[in-house]
Amino acid sequence: METWAGFCPGLHLSLGIWLMIAAHTLQNAKAEITCASCPSPLQLNLEELKLGTRADPTNEPGTLKNIRVEFREVGIADQNAGVENEDETGVSVEDVPRFPQHVSLDKVGAKEDALGSMEESNIGSNKAEEPRKGEDVALRRAKRSGPEFAELSANGWVDAGAPEDRGTLLDGVNKGRSDFRWNRDERRGNNKQDEPKLTSSTFALTGDSAHNHAVVYWSGQNSSVILILTKLYDFHIGSVTESTLWRSTDYGSTYERMNDKVGSKTVLSYLYVCPTNKRKIMVLTDPEFESSVLISSDEGASFQKYRLTFFVLSLLFHPSEEDWALAYSHDQKLYSSVDFGRKWQLIHEHVTPNRFYWSVSGLDKESDLVHMEAHAPDGNVQYVTCRAQMCTEANRNYPFPGYIDISSLVVQDDYIFLQVPTSGRATYYVSYKRESFIQTKLPKYSLPKDLHIVSTDEKQVFAAVQEWNQNDTYNLYLSDTRGIYFTLAMENVKTTRGIGGNQMLDLYEVAGIRGMLIANKRQENQVKTFITYNKGRDWRLLQAPTSDLDGNDIHCILPFCSLHLQLQMSENPYLSGTISTKSSAPGIIVATGNIGSELSYNNVGMYISSDAGNSWRQIFEEEHNIWFLDKGGALVAVKQPSVPTRHLWISFDEGRQWTQHSFSSVPLFVDGVLVEASAENQIMTFFGHFSHRSEWQLIKIDYKSIYSRKCTEEDYQTWHLHNQGEPCVMGQKQIYMKRRPGNYCMLGRDYSRILSAESCICRAHDFECDYGYERRGDGNCRPAFWFNPSTVSRRCSQGQNYFNSTGYRKVVLNNCTKGVKEMYTARKQQCPNRPPKGLSLTTRDGKLTANLGSNVTFVVHLDEGDSLRTNIQLDFGDGTAVSYSNLSWTEEGIKHVYKSAGIFRVTALAENTLGYDSTTLFLHVTCPVEHIQLLAPFVVIRNKEVNITAVVLPSHSRTVTYFWWLGNNTEPVITLDGSISHTFQSEGLHTITVQVAAADTILQDTKTIAVKEFFKSLLLSFSPNLDEFNPDIPEWRQDVGRVIKKALLQVSDFPEEQLLVAVFPGVPTAAELFLLPHKNQSEGKKKKEEKLEQVSDIIVTALNQNLVEFELKPGVRVIVYNTQLTLAPLVDSSPRHSSSAMLMLLSVVFLGLAVFLIYKFKRKIPWINIYAEVNQEKEQEMIGSVGQGDSTPKITLSEFSTSKELMEKELEARVKRGVGNACESTREIPNCTSV
């Protein structure tokens, strides 16, 4: 992983500053600083930067400028750090701790892009948010090119307001001190030495007073060129409206306007510097005006403009090829350029923001390989690799066999991390050196809610895990070299709510000393600071100083009292934050802290350790920013920017004595300091402002005059690293060379940090507990209750050897030898022959459902057994099975495609000569439901059971759940069958609703049923011309039914509400007319029956005389015919057997015989036609009416199909036409229309 060790701009001389100015009211005056590239503790839950409210830029009286300084690092040549080297200025990559700057929720790491900015590395949940409306365009680009900026709050440590308003700093603690303390510090400096003069010059950004945003780039590498881009960002319209580009060739003494060279009307929004060739610069125009890129190859002396067809949100330069770059667009497309932005080629669409990476040298075969996270057409996310200029579908590779969680891909150092979508516990996978992905192993019951990769650059993975029972703390875990097996290093590491709401893990890696960490741990409702010298194997409290600044004794006895440090590093690389170390000054730690029983943010002071945390001294009573000058040979301190100052303090004896120097004649609110520490020049640049109404000031300071000479051999001394007297740290005795305290000489380029390193004899503290083991009270590692130490890997085959853990493993990068090494090292043993045990069967995605026709990947896992001599059989449950001679053939998963839906019993069997083991899962294979149709009679008899059916297309048994709401029931009846029987006990209109759930689809249909004691019905047919205009859709049938009803009402004096007309689907067009009895309770049933009989006769007569017709459209008249009559006694709910009913029954019998005879000899009686309707449940005999004319439509018995048959026939017809498929829906059944 590329940590921020060595990537701080001041150390690489790659300097970038963002300046944002917005007027605010007096009480809100502030100067806010954000950073995209500085070292800082682990940050969790990084939020979008919320821009402050911009006041009227006219600077009316009583208003102050709100100044935000945003720093942007450039010049990082190596995208994938982890090797120790020095740039041209001789600054080591270890100058700052190697932990990442920004780590968001569900993050598995942090990676610096080629601009030196950390990219977010999320696992799980966290998706990239779109920029908020009104944010600064350039600021948004800054966030996308690296991390999202973290913003200091209104009470941040940079405040542009009046002095009386200053003093509130990080975490909202008042840092202001009394005048007595300030004056005492002044006297401390003046009493030590006469103040020498520093050479300085001041430049004010004049002429751009209305501009509220500025970007300053100083590439370093002994270059004298500084570029400043100032902009006017209009918060009302959310874009840049004006810009000015300034260029200096003398380290900032003078500047030249470059607007004429880039185009006087061109509005610029952002500036990039190539990390491998800092003479090459890209400047983007604001897309609100035009989408272009301006390219310079001479440090901004001249530019060429090229049009873009997309809006660049972020850029990622190649770590070694200076002309190669990736660009991410606003529409989630990824482009590549091999000529430094002159031409761009599309790589892939639907790429996840900040989830694309260049190849890692030494690991990827092609230098132009791109790793990315992209969305598949079905919406799932995949890990994709391809070459930048050859990324067609045929050339794309998918290294991980399956889908992954969005925003979970992280490629850094030797590792690739991702998370797979599972319905249960989070599952993380890692690939070490591009090998196959393997699931990471945390302790069995850690049950992580959140996981963050802290670091990967020391041949192992640091992970912070928030477990199921934690809220504001995390546990720190360390992995083996392959990043698979994790063991606990510290519990309950504190998190701090940082600037802008960022959550930061209180964990700090000391620069220059391998294995040394400082952490704040919550313990019994108190937070205490602990230190370790062996990567978390052992921790101890910090010993407090023995005296204060005045020489008074401090009585602080461990473990009841100790020194506690604030571990929040500045998000601005040009302010030191609360703790600072430097690899070129090993053993020196400067931090803000307090003495007591727990960490506090009140009564804090500045403390320093010169012996790597073994002893501490207080150096200031107020918070200061501390920088290392001259490769750490000197310290410079400046008061926190809450108060203005014109002095800086310098110490040459590791903070024991401080001399005061003036850098400005007028007190300056310091918002940032750039340090150019090369051998050729010694320059610092202060950024700030004299007052809340002044313009931005850039003060260049040449501090060479404070040195009297260059250091010689006599100016150095040796220093032995130790841990409370123990000389062996990380298995070595290390001797460092330091400048003698108090020598005012300048260090040379050949200054060596480590003089010698001698390996030590291995002892117990050089070993940590292995995976599955826990350290007990006696200091020994014992198996956890859930771990079986006798388990042998299934990869261990008979005749082979394996390493049997002793419960310990050597701390990674520990260099001890001999001693107890053999005792604690895993022992080589022969693999035993054993039966299979612990067989498990899952799907790749952890789900028990699959869509019909999709590839299902089964994963077989065996805890114990000889994988090479164990036969694996897998029965898919659909009549097919596979067999493998050994388990190694199943490592990539077993794929199968189901051709039918259903619930399948999938069985796996592992068997060898010593025994067998088996396991089973039940897989639901579903086809998405496309159509549901509720089949129910329109009118039913009270107190008689009726069958209701839901027809689902496509029809697949056992995979659909039915939810029935019948009448006024508030709770549904749930069935797995598509039919249900129900008895309606009251008359009236009842609503039936059915919902079907299949896979992730839910469909619903609703019908209204009329419940009556008895009723009459007539089947209707129509003249053939109606079929020509029948589109066969529900809406048409409803409208036609309403028209038919209106036509029938014209020929009969029958109440409208007692008439129901339902038009059947399909052609020829047919309908059913229902005659319902009146609701009058005073009338008897017999009288109601008589009325229905009378109305029926009237309507039948009218129908037979062709008196019922309607106009479908001008010139098209449709005649309605009577087809069949349903007799009233057959739909009567009365249980009595009257004589009339018996006579009617006998009549029906004789009528049936007559119908049979007529049907038998119908060819001899051509004028008679028979009509019948066969109902599914209630067999109702029908009397067919005889047509009186030749116009009567000829309808045969077979043409009266049931509704279900109509649907099936239609589906069959569609299939024959070539438009149907296994999942196609059919038309609806008749709708009951009541107008």
Side-chain angles (χ1 to χ4, degrees):
M1 155 187 174
E2 212 175 42
T3 64
W4 17 267
F7 293 97
C8 188
L11 304 172
H12 276 274
L13 310 182
S14 304
L15 312 174
I17 297 184
W18 286 89
L19 315 174
M20 177 171 286
I21 306 174
H24 270 251
T25 57
L26 180 62
Q27 60 271 23
N28 292 327
K30 59 185 178 181
E32 299 175 309
I33 299 189
T34 63
C35 160
S37 58
C38 61
S40 71
L42 179 67
Q43 297 192 14
L44 315 177
N45 191 23
L46 190 63
E47 299 177 354
E48 282 277 335
L49 174 63
K50 298 179 178 64
L51 297 181
T53 303
R54 178 178 178 271
D56 190 349
T58 55
N59 291 331
E60 296 178 1
T63 64
L64 302 178
K65 286 188 178 179
N66 171 16
I67 304 174
R68 174 179 293 131
V69 187
E70 296 156 4
F71 295 89
R72 186 76 183 152
E73 177 184 357
V74 297
I76 304 307
D78 188 1
Q79 177 192 1
N80 306 285
V83 292
E84 296 184 9
N85 54 14
E86 297 192 2
D87 61 34
E88 295 181 9
T89 64
V91 180
S92 167
V93 298
E94 295 182 344
D95 284 341
V96 289
R98 286 188 285 274
F99 286 165
Q101 175 201 0
H102 297 304
V103 182
S104 295
L105 287 178
D106 299 323
K107 184 164 302 222
V108 293
K111 183 176 189 63
E112 295 192 40
D113 62 14
L115 288 173
S117 306
M118 293 290 183
E119 292 188 357
E120 293 183 357
S121 308
N122 292 336
I123 272 194
S125 83
N126 281 216
K127 319 258 167 133
E129 295 183 3
E130 289 299 320
R132 292 179 175 85
K133 186 176 181 180
E135 284 188 335
D136 182 81
V137 176
L139 181 58
R140 284 182 287 160
R141 291 207 183 98
K143 291 187 289 186
R144 292 186 178 96
S145 65
E148 297 178 359
F149 285 154
E151 178 184 355
L152 291 183
S153 65
N155 294 328
W157 27 252
V158 181
D159 187 350
E164 61 271 21
D165 293 330
R166 303 174 181 278
T168 51
L169 283 100
L170 189 64
D171 298 307
V173 179
N174 193 319
K175 311 300 183 192
R177 296 295 179 185
S178 64
D179 292 337
F180 167 76
R181 288 174 178 173
W182 170 260
N183 293 334
R184 183 173 65 178
D185 287 341
E186 295 276 0
R187 291 196 301 272
R188 287 177 59 201
N190 292 334
N191 290 338
K192 295 297 178 184
Q193 174 180 332
D194 292 337
E195 178 183 325
K197 286 290 184 182
L198 295 177
T199 304
S200 65
S201 62
T202 301
F203 173 80
L205 299 181
T206 59
D208 290 335
S209 58
H211 290 191
N212 54 11
H213 194 180
V215 187
V216 180
Y217 278 101
W218 185 8
S219 64
Q221 290 186 322
N222 302 319
S223 172
S224 60
V225 175
I226 299 177
L227 294 173
I228 301 179
L229 174 63
T230 64
K231 299 174 289 182
L232 174 59
Y233 182 85
D234 192 324
F235 289 87
H236 299 291
I237 63 175
S239 65
V240 179
T241 58
E242 296 178 13
S243 67
T244 303
L245 182 64
W246 301 83
R247 184 172 185 263
S248 171
T249 58
D250 53 8
Y251 294 100
S253 297
T254 59
Y255 285 85
E256 173 192 4
R257 277 180 178 266
M258 302 293 293
N259 284 31
D260 292 339
K261 296 186 179 181
V262 300
S264 58
K265 296 184 179 180
T266 301
V267 179
L268 307 177
S269 63
Y270 202 68
L271 188 151
Y272 292 90
V273 176
C274 176
T276 53
N277 183 355
K278 297 179 178 61
R279 295 181 58 82
K280 292 188 174 182
I281 298 169
M282 280 190 195
V283 183
L284 298 177
T285 62
D286 191 275
E288 295 293 331
F289 296 89
E290 62 175 318
S291 184
S292 301
V293 59
L294 293 121
I295 296 175
S296 173
S297 299
D298 51 12
E299 291 188 284
S302 61
F303 289 90
Q304 296 82 41
K305 182 185 288 187
Y306 297 87
R307 294 284 183 180
L308 297 176
T309 59
F310 58 93
F311 169 25
V312 178
L313 293 184
S314 62
L315 286 177
L316 180 66
F317 289 101
H318 194 276
S320 58
E321 297 290 338
E322 63 184 51
D323 290 333
W324 294 6
L326 300 177
Y328 186 76
S329 70
H330 65 290
D331 54 356
Q332 295 188 324
K333 294 179 180 179
L334 186 65
Y335 297 84
S336 67
S337 174
V338 294
D339 55 5
F340 201 70
R342 292 169 176 84
K343 296 178 182 178
W344 296 91
Q345 179 173 324
L346 178 65
I347 297 180
H348 205 294
E349 297 181 344
H350 308 297
V351 177
T352 305
N354 299 320
R355 292 290 173 250
F356 48 90
Y357 310 85
W358 279 112
S359 61
V360 178
S361 178
L363 295 176
D364 295 306
K365 295 180 180 179
E366 297 89 6
S367 59
D368 62 343
L369 189 71
V370 178
H371 304 262
M372 68 192 111
E373 180 185 296
H375 291 257
D378 59 2
N380 290 302
V381 181
Q382 294 176 295
Y383 167 32
V384 185
T385 62
C386 65
R387 303 185 68 173
Q389 298 287 307
M390 300 171 57
C391 199
T392 60
E393 183 60 43
N395 295 324
R396 292 171 184 170
N397 295 312
Y398 301 88
F400 184 77
Y403 298 126
I404 67 175
D405 277 339
I406 190 170
S407 298
S408 69
L409 175 67
V410 174
V411 180
Q412 58 186 47
D413 294 328
D414 295 339
Y415 307 92
I416 300 176
F417 301 94
L418 51 83
Q419 179 180 344
V420 299
T422 57
S423 55
R425 295 172 57 181
T427 305
Y428 306 95
Y429 284 81
V430 61
S431 170
Y432 176 67
K433 290 189 175 180
R434 304 303 186 264
E435 296 175 357
S436 299
F437 281 90
I438 300 177
Q439 184 177 344
T440 59
K441 299 291 184 181
L442 288 165
K444 187 173 183 179
Y445 296 107
S446 65
L447 304 178
K449 294 190 300 184
D450 191 17
L451 183 144
H452 311 256
I453 297 301
V454 180
S455 173
T456 60
D457 62 346
E458 288 196 341
K459 306 294 184 185
Q460 69 178 152
V461 180
F462 282 71
V465 178
Q466 188 172 64
E467 302 188 8
W468 62 274
N469 57 350
Q470 294 178 308
N471 293 317
D472 59 349
T473 60
Y474 282 73
N475 289 348
L476 181 65
Y477 286 89
L478 299 179
S479 78
D480 60 348
T481 301
R482 295 171 56 84
I484 300 173
Y485 295 98
F486 286 82
T487 59
L488 182 66
M490 172 175 268
E491 292 183 299
N492 297 319
V493 179
K494 173 184 173 290
T495 57
T496 300
R497 182 64 61 180
I499 308 306
N502 302 309
Q503 202 174 7
M504 305 169 67
L505 190 69
D506 280 16
L507 178 67
Y508 183 84
E509 183 181 23
V510 178
I513 301 178
R514 180 169 292 168
M516 186 173 176
L517 305 170
I518 303 176
N520 285 329
K521 177 181 179 180
R522 187 175 298 280
Q523 182 176 315
E524 299 177 353
N525 296 323
Q526 291 183 325
V527 177
K528 300 176 181 289
T529 300
F530 290 81
I531 190 170
T532 179
Y533 294 83
N534 52 7
K535 282 195 171 183
R537 196 290 191 185
D538 300 291
W539 298 85
R540 64 172 175 83
L541 295 168
L542 299 181
Q543 178 64 60
T546 57
S547 60
D548 60 15
L549 279 177
D550 297 323
N552 301 317
D553 291 340
I554 298 177
H555 301 282
C556 185
I557 301 175
L558 295 173
F560 309 103
C561 175
S562 60
L563 176 65
H564 308 282
L565 305 179
Q566 298 178 22
L567 303 180
Q568 295 82 40
M569 288 197 61
S570 173
E571 298 177 57
N572 168 6
Y574 306 106
L575 292 177
S576 62
T578 60
I579 184 167
S580 299
T581 58
K582 189 176 179 68
S583 60
S584 60
I588 299 180
I589 308 172
V590 186
T592 302
N594 68 282
I595 299 172
S597 60
E598 63 177 328
L599 178 66
S600 172
Y601 294 93
N602 297 313
N603 300 320
V604 297
M606 297 296 297
Y607 297 87
I608 190 171
S609 174
S610 300
D611 55 4
N614 287 282
S615 63
W616 296 83
R617 305 184 309 275
Q618 186 174 7
I619 55 176
F620 293 108
E621 288 184 334
E622 296 178 286
E623 283 195 70
H624 284 63
N625 284 291
I626 307 291
W627 293 273
F628 292 84
L629 297 182
D630 192 23
K631 298 186 177 180
L635 300 174
V636 60
V638 177
K639 278 185 176 292
Q640 288 280 4
S642 55
V643 292
T645 182
R646 63 187 184 91
H647 300 293
L648 56 84
W649 305 81
I650 295 180
S651 173
F652 290 88
D653 56 2
E654 299 175 348
R656 293 176 177 84
Q657 297 180 3
W658 296 85
T659 57
Q660 177 182 282
H661 303 265
S662 294
F663 64 85
S664 174
S665 59
V666 179
L668 180 77
F669 291 103
V670 179
D671 295 299
V673 177
L674 306 178
V675 179
E676 163 66 311
S678 69
E680 287 73 18
N681 58 74
Q682 291 75 38
I683 294 176
M684 291 188 295
T685 303
F686 278 63
F687 292 85
H689 47 282
F690 294 135
S691 70
H692 56 271
R693 291 185 177 88
S694 71
E695 296 171 322
W696 194 265
Q697 307 294 323
L698 293 83
I699 301 178
K700 186 183 77 171
I701 302 172
D702 189 339
Y703 59 90
K704 185 184 297 184
S705 60
I706 65 176
Y707 296 105
S708 57
R709 55 186 174 82
K710 284 191 175 183
C711 295
T712 61
E713 246 181 73
E714 290 75 19
D715 294 307
Y716 295 99
Q717 66 179 17
T718 58
W719 171 70
H720 296 253
L721 174 64
H722 66 94
N723 175 13
Q724 290 186 319
E726 169 56 54
C728 291
V729 176
M730 288 293 287
Q732 280 185 325
K733 295 179 180 179
Q734 302 177 44
I735 302 176
Y736 291 82
M737 181 179 292
K738 285 186 175 184
R739 180 171 51 190
R740 295 181 185 276
N743 287 12
Y744 287 78
C745 63
M746 185 184 304
L747 300 177
R749 287 181 61 90
D750 56 351
Y751 170 60
S752 177
R753 299 189 303 274
I754 300 181
L755 188 62
S756 66
E758 177 186 348
S759 295
C760 298
I761 299 298
C762 289
R763 290 182 288 175
H765 62 251
D766 295 311
F767 293 82
E768 61 189 2
C769 291
D770 203 352
Y771 175 77
Y773 291 80
E774 298 174 340
R775 192 172 301 280
R776 301 300 169 85
D778 59 0
N780 295 321
C781 296
R782 296 284 185 267
F785 74 94
W786 50 266
F787 182 71
N788 182 8
S790 62
T791 300
V792 179
S793 171
R794 61 181 177 83
R795 299 177 183 274
C796 189
S797 182
Q798 188 176 9
Q800 297 178 343
N801 296 317
Y802 76 102
F803 289 95
N804 187 15
S805 175
T806 62
Y808 299 86
R809 69 185 185 192
K810 191 177 179 182
V811 175
V812 177
L813 298 183
N814 186 292
N815 293 315
C816 73
T817 59
K818 300 180 180 179
V820 299
K821 182 178 180 180
E822 184 176 351
M823 180 189 306
Y824 286 117
T825 301
R827 298 178 177 87
K828 189 176 183 180
Q829 296 183 1
Q830 189 172 8
C831 295
N833 192 14
R834 57 207 183 283
K837 185 178 180 181
L839 182 67
S840 63
L841 177 64
T842 61
T843 58
R844 173 73 71 184
D845 57 7
K847 298 179 180 179
L848 295 177
T849 61
N851 290 329
L852 181 65
S854 64
N855 244 324
V856 182
T857 302
F858 295 96
V859 178
V860 179
H861 176 76
L862 187 65
D863 288 338
E864 297 183 48
D866 189 341
S867 63
L868 295 180
R869 289 174 170 79
T870 299
N871 177 271
I872 297 295
Q873 300 176 30
L874 189 61
D875 187 342
F876 298 109
D878 62 348
T880 59
V882 293
S883 179
Y884 297 92
S885 60
N886 60 69
L887 201 62
S888 61
W889 293 102
T890 68
E891 290 183 352
E892 296 298 324
I894 305 171
K895 295 184 178 181
H896 184 66
V897 177
Y898 286 89
K899 297 181 179 180
S900 62
I903 302 176
F904 297 92
R905 179 190 181 102
V906 186
T907 304
L909 174 67
E911 187 177 20
N912 63 18
T913 57
L914 297 181
Y916 70 92
D917 194 8
S918 63
T919 185
T920 300
L921 68 79
F922 294 90
L923 183 70
H924 292 241
V925 178
T926 61
C927 179
V929 176
E930 294 185 2
H931 183 74
I932 178 177
Q933 198 153 18
L934 183 58
L935 302 181
F938 298 100
V939 184
V940 299
I941 301 302
R942 179 173 61 87
N943 291 328
K944 284 196 174 181
E945 190 176 72
V946 61
N947 282 349
I948 305 166
T949 302
V951 178
V952 174
L953 293 177
S955 176
H956 298 293
S957 62
R958 302 186 303 160
T959 61
V960 177
T961 304
Y962 299 83
F963 301 86
W964 307 87
W965 280 269
L966 304 171
N968 297 323
N969 294 347
T970 57
E971 294 295 329
V973 178
I974 303 175
T975 67
L976 296 178
D977 188 14
S979 296
I980 190 172
S981 297
H982 186 69
T983 300
F984 294 93
Q985 299 178 350
S986 61
E987 292 189 73
L989 295 178
H990 294 260
T991 300
I992 299 177
T993 299
V994 63
Q995 287 184 336
V996 293
D1000 55 353
T1001 304
I1002 296 180
L1003 296 180
Q1004 173 179 306
D1005 194 12
T1006 300
K1007 298 295 181 187
T1008 300
I1009 293 180
V1011 180
K1012 296 295 179 180
E1013 192 173 3
F1014 60 93
F1015 63 89
K1016 277 181 174 285
S1017 69
L1018 296 170
L1019 289 179
L1020 306 178
S1021 59
F1022 307 92
S1023 54
N1025 58 347
L1026 181 60
D1027 295 341
E1028 300 176 9
F1029 303 96
N1030 184 355
D1032 200 15
I1033 61 175
E1035 294 85 351
W1036 184 88
R1037 293 193 289 269
Q1038 290 176 3
D1039 291 337
V1040 170
R1042 188 166 52 250
V1043 173
I1044 297 170
K1045 182 176 181 179
K1046 186 182 297 184
L1048 291 170
L1049 291 173
Q1050 292 176 358
V1051 300
S1052 65
D1053 186 15
F1054 197 65
E1056 181 180 348
E1057 65 274 6
Q1058 293 178 238
L1059 207 85
L1060 294 178
V1061 177
V1063 180
F1064 293 99
V1067 290
T1069 308
E1072 187 170 6
L1073 169 64
F1074 296 93
L1075 303 176
L1076 307 180
H1078 197 272
K1079 297 180 181 179
N1080 190 352
Q1081 301 293 334
S1082 61
E1083 294 183 354
K1085 179 179 179 182
K1086 188 174 181 180
K1087 190 173 182 180
K1088 292 181 180 179
E1089 289 178 352
E1090 292 174 353
K1091 284 187 176 182
L1092 285 186
E1093 194 70 36
Q1094 294 172 3
V1095 174
S1096 176
D1097 292 341
I1098 294 173
I1099 293 177
V1100 169
T1101 301
L1103 291 171
N1104 290 338
Q1105 296 177 1
N1106 297 337
L1107 298 178
V1108 181
E1109 63 178 4
F1110 60 90
E1111 187 177 47
L1112 186 65
K1113 59 186 301 185
V1116 179
R1117 299 198 65 81
V1118 178
I1119 301 175
V1120 184
Y1121 303 103
N1122 173 31
T1123 303
Q1124 190 171 347
L1125 172 66
T1126 302
L1127 298 181
L1130 297 181
V1131 288
D1132 192 345
S1133 63
S1134 174
R1136 56 189 171 83
H1137 301 280
S1138 63
S1139 57
S1140 60
M1142 294 298 295
L1143 291 173
M1144 181 62 70
L1145 181 59
L1146 291 174
S1147 301
V1148 169
V1149 172
F1150 286 115
L1151 181 61
L1153 292 174
V1155 169
F1156 175 77
L1157 292 174
I1158 293 172
Y1159 179 78
K1160 254 324 228 187
F1161 303 100
K1162 63 180 181 178
R1163 294 185 179 181
K1164 300 178 182 179
I1165 314 175
W1167 54 273
I1168 292 182
N1169 294 277
I1170 304 302
Y1171 310 96
E1173 169 74 9
V1174 182
N1175 290 336
Q1176 296 177 18
E1177 303 294 338
K1178 304 294 182 182
E1179 296 184 359
Q1180 300 177 359
E1181 296 187 21
M1182 308 293 182
I1183 297 178
S1185 61
V1186 178
Q1188 301 296 319
D1190 294 335
S1191 62
T1192 303
K1194 306 297 188 293
I1195 305 176
T1196 64
L1197 181 67
S1198 62
E1199 290 179 297
F1200 279 94
S1201 303
T1202 64
S1203 300
K1204 187 173 182 179
E1205 289 170 344
L1206 287 171
M1207 298 174 69
E1208 293 173 349
K1209 288 180 180 179
E1210 182 180 358
L1211 177 60
E1212 182 180 355
R1214 292 186 181 184
V1215 173
K1216 289 180 179 180
R1217 293 196 303 266
V1219 297
N1221 56 56
C1223 298
E1224 186 162 332
S1225 61
T1226 63
R1227 300 170 183 172
E1228 295 187 1
I1229 64 171
N1231 293 287
C1232 182
T1233 304
S1234 177
V1235 181

